[in-house]
Amino acid sequence: MMRYTQRSFYFIGGLKENAWNQTITSLFKRASHTQVSSGDQNLNFSDHKTVFKFKRTTDLLRGYFLLRVCSINMFVDNALSVMRGCERIFGEKLFSLIARPTFYRHFVGGDTEAELRATRNELAKAGIHLMVCPAFEEDAGETDVSKTDKYKTNMEYIMEIGQIMLRAGEKDPCLQFKITAMMPGDLVTKISSNIGNSIQLDELSEIIGKYLETGKTTRFDWLTEDENNQLFKCLDYINTFGEKARQTGITLLVDAEYTYMNPGISAVALGMMLAFNKERPIVWNTYQCYLKAALQTISTEMEIVEKRGSCFGAKVVRGAYMEKERKLAKMHGYPDPVNDTYADTCAMYDRVAEYMMTHISKVGNRCNIVLGTHNEQSVLNAATKLTDLGLDPRSGQVVFGQIYGMADQISVPLSAAGFKVYKSVPYGPLGEVLPYLSRRAAENRVVLAGARRELELLKSELKSRFIMRG
Ligand SMILES: Cc1cc2nc3c(=O)[nH]c(=O)nc-3n(C[C@H](O)[C@H](O)[C@H](O)COP(=O)(O)OP(=O)(O)OC[C@H]3O[C@@H](n4cnc5c(N)ncnc54)[C@H](O)[C@@H]3O)c2cc1C
């Protein structure tokens, strides 16, 4: 008999408003009563012995120190300038000597085949799978027209990571990537602003899918001649990338970015699904549940793909760009696309997860999802639903994902209880990954605040190890 119990619910740090307190109180009440039966193991997120069973004491000490540093808002706000300042003062070599064994080692999977293999082996001890996340992205306004080869180089680099995962022995490797690593951010933004006006999403996805399959081009009169050329050149890179993934059995997860880019990202992701997902979901798109339109978006996009005979894949997350989304909406005077409260986002997350799992229970392997979350209650709700629907937790139809270096108290017990779990592992050289990590840290401030519970568990485990030794 499997029993999922939530002994306690961690507090999202620093949130003092009444709404927050009410949210947390209601979640706590709900959480403390969660009990699900379906097997013969406990799903328990507070047993530090199980969580850190495979970790060396030095790794725990490093984790404790780093999570403490990351819970300081001032550090997170200025992480990149602090690190760049240290680099200037100490010089590149000395800085690398400090940063590599600390932040880099804890949050990054490496930048060589040997390092990624070591990371993979470490995760495999706990039965956790590899989802590598290369640190390439480009925001609107960052496009440098003189660097035309950049997108091809990025694609080749990311494609090679997939092959490294396979050579390291990973059975079902997942590769996260951003469309803006392979296509200019400015172009993706322009395409996005035309979707719904000059062209509809289903029409554009179909044209992109056709191009990827047959090479049949179309010229869009809402793009300049140069932009048209750029689009189809980048689609050639994406075609090479998708084809390699299809041939070698790598799942490609397209990341969601800002709402001013997401429609363009979706057009490419859905086009890839139409071209590469004929037999199984190789390409998956990401859906951010902090958006009021999340359920509508995922159901519409799933229909576009399934109606045309392809399989659908989705990464379901809460969303990482809340602060900037709210700021932009206020600045430009349009309605805030983000849910009004954290409770609304949590409700949307659980609704989307449930909707997708119910769909999977009807269509089976033709639809797969990953639930990317560090929220214990959402994980418990999903595990409960998955069990109730009679889905096989090892089938890969519904898997869980957490960020490498965080939330082991969720990943390890989930995997031990028989669910399929991935860690999203950043990969790349120190200089490339640091700006990426500091951006992610600022965007995921709430997650870092939530690491408080992980800190408690680390403290308990360290205490018990030192007492046993002493
Ligand atoms: C494997 C994986 C892949 C990911 N890929 C992406 C991606 O492609 N794109 C992306 O944007 N993010 C991505 N993320 C990050 C993710 O979107 C979240 O930022 C992060 O996981 C924190 O959410 P949580 O579910 O862990 O839960 P929690 O820590 O419980 O929730 C925090 C989240 O709730 C939301 N929130 C907080 N306060 C409020 C409020 N006042 N009103 C409304 N909503 C609020 C925000 O989304 C915030 O990030 C990924 C995360 C993982 C684990």
Side-chain angles (χ1 to χ4, degrees):
M1 190 77 124
M2 190 185 286
R3 178 154 295 185
Y4 308 143
T5 52
Q6 168 83 5
R7 305 250 160 86
S8 58
F9 191 80
Y10 65 96
F11 186 74
I12 308 283
L15 305 168
K16 300 232 166 62
E17 298 101 307
N18 276 343
W20 284 104
N21 288 339
Q22 279 164 18
T23 306
I24 299 302
T25 313
S26 69
L27 284 174
F28 181 83
K29 276 187 191 151
R30 241 176 52 197
S32 57
H33 288 104
T34 308
Q35 280 205 347
V36 186
S37 303
S38 103
D40 58 5
Q41 274 178 303
N42 273 345
L43 185 52
N44 176 1
F45 298 143
S46 46
D47 173 16
H48 58 88
K49 291 235 167 309
T50 310
V51 173
F52 302 117
K53 194 164 130 191
F54 303 104
K55 293 270 182 198
R56 286 172 306 188
T57 305
T58 46
D59 293 337
L60 297 184
L61 284 167
R62 188 190 55 218
Y64 184 76
F65 166 75
L66 292 174
L67 288 181
R68 277 217 85 109
V69 172
C70 287
S71 62
I72 304 168
N73 262 349
M74 222 169 64
F75 173 77
V76 172
D77 284 338
N78 302 295
L80 189 57
S81 40
V82 170
M83 289 191 200
R84 288 280 183 247
C86 291
E87 201 173 7
R88 259 195 315 275
I89 295 165
F90 298 123
E92 212 175 296
K93 279 218 170 108
L94 188 56
F95 173 70
S96 166
L97 277 178
I98 300 164
R100 275 196 87 94
T102 53
F103 281 94
Y104 187 88
R105 179 67 200 91
H106 190 78
F107 291 112
V108 183
D111 63 351
T112 63
E113 180 154 356
E115 284 171 352
L116 191 59
R117 187 183 284 268
T119 304
R120 186 254 163 199
N121 292 343
E122 171 207 316
L123 293 173
K125 281 187 212 158
I128 295 171
H129 297 265
L130 204 53
M131 175 192 289
V132 176
C133 171
F136 294 120
E137 60 189 343
E138 186 181 287
D139 201 352
E142 289 180 354
T143 302
D144 180 349
V145 283
S146 66
K147 292 190 176 160
T148 47
D149 283 347
K150 171 181 157 186
Y151 308 104
K152 184 167 183 254
T153 312
N154 286 354
M155 181 276 288
E156 287 167 348
Y157 185 87
I158 299 172
M159 193 162 74
E160 178 56 17
I161 298 172
Q163 302 311 299
I164 294 177
M165 283 197 278
L166 287 172
R167 290 197 291 270
E170 188 63 39
K171 282 260 154 39
D172 302 308
C174 284
L175 193 48
Q176 257 181 276
F177 75 105
K178 291 191 165 56
I179 293 294
T180 57
M182 299 184 194
M183 197 175 270
D186 286 348
L187 180 61
V188 176
T189 306
K190 182 155 181 192
I191 294 171
S192 299
S193 65
N194 278 281
I195 292 175
N197 304 311
S198 319
I199 193 160
Q200 297 307 313
L201 179 65
D202 54 348
E203 194 189 339
L204 182 55
S205 309
E206 209 166 332
I207 292 171
I208 291 176
K210 271 266 145 46
Y211 180 73
L212 296 175
E213 268 188 278
T214 64
K216 183 178 177 296
T217 46
T218 311
R219 306 312 273 182
F220 299 112
D221 58 11
W222 40 272
L223 291 177
T224 64
E225 191 55 24
D226 277 354
E227 287 164 347
N228 268 297
N229 292 339
Q230 208 170 36
L231 171 64
F232 288 100
K233 198 166 156 191
C234 292
L235 286 176
D236 285 339
Y237 306 150
I238 286 172
N239 197 21
T240 308
F241 182 61
E243 192 49 39
K244 183 81 176 180
R246 195 181 63 75
Q247 284 168 9
T248 51
I250 295 167
T251 300
L252 301 180
L253 309 183
V254 177
D255 281 349
E257 302 179 49
Y258 298 104
T259 45
Y260 55 81
M261 285 178 160
N262 283 344
I265 291 170
S266 281
V268 178
L270 301 188
M272 290 180 79
M273 288 193 211
L274 296 181
F276 302 115
N277 287 9
K278 301 269 186 230
E279 270 131 45
R280 69 171 195 94
I282 287 166
V283 181
W284 308 12
N285 198 16
T286 299
Y287 299 89
Q288 296 155 318
C289 295
Y290 63 13
L291 297 177
K292 289 170 184 157
L295 186 58
Q296 179 65 45
T297 307
I298 197 168
S299 57
T300 306
E301 295 195 2
M302 186 159 74
E303 198 185 329
I304 290 175
V305 172
E306 292 188 340
K307 248 189 174 172
R308 288 161 179 79
S310 276
C311 302
F312 186 72
K315 166 151 61 79
V316 182
V317 300
R318 275 181 170 71
Y321 310 100
M322 183 177 72
E323 286 176 27
K324 187 165 167 189
E325 292 288 0
R326 288 215 199 283
K327 213 184 279 172
L328 284 175
K330 208 166 167 189
M331 209 160 81
H332 298 292
Y334 58 80
D336 188 343
V338 176
N339 289 312
D340 295 334
T341 65
Y342 174 66
D344 290 346
T345 294
C346 290
M348 178 63 87
Y349 191 93
D350 293 346
R351 208 175 309 141
V352 169
E354 189 168 333
Y355 172 79
M356 292 307 295
M357 284 190 279
T358 307
H359 183 71
I360 290 168
S361 71
K362 292 174 194 148
V363 302
N365 287 333
R366 295 194 65 79
C367 182
N368 290 174
I369 58 166
V370 53
L371 298 168
T373 181
H374 309 106
N375 183 301
E376 295 180 7
Q377 188 60 53
S378 287
V379 169
L380 285 170
N381 291 347
T384 306
K385 188 71 192 171
L386 205 154
T387 310
D388 287 351
L389 288 167
L391 296 171
D392 174 3
R394 282 277 160 205
S395 67
Q397 290 171 344
V398 180
V399 303
F400 293 86
Q402 285 84 40
I403 292 169
Y404 183 63
M406 297 182 71
D408 279 348
Q409 85 278 9
I410 296 178
S411 313
V412 178
L414 255 185
S415 170
F419 294 92
K420 195 160 179 182
V421 181
Y422 282 81
K423 279 284 192 191
S424 169
V425 179
Y427 178 87
L430 184 68
E432 299 269 358
V433 174
L434 281 187
Y436 178 86
L437 278 182
S438 63
R439 263 156 101 157
R440 294 290 86 79
E443 285 146 4
N444 285 303
R445 190 184 309 277
V446 197
V447 184
L448 291 168
R452 189 169 296 182
R453 177 152 145 78
E454 201 174 342
L455 275 169
E456 291 298 319
L457 291 177
L458 275 166
K459 208 154 91 181
S460 307
E461 178 63 13
L462 281 166
K463 235 191 226 166
S464 77
R465 287 195 191 183
F466 285 120
I467 287 169
M468 270 171 62
R469 276 183 200 174

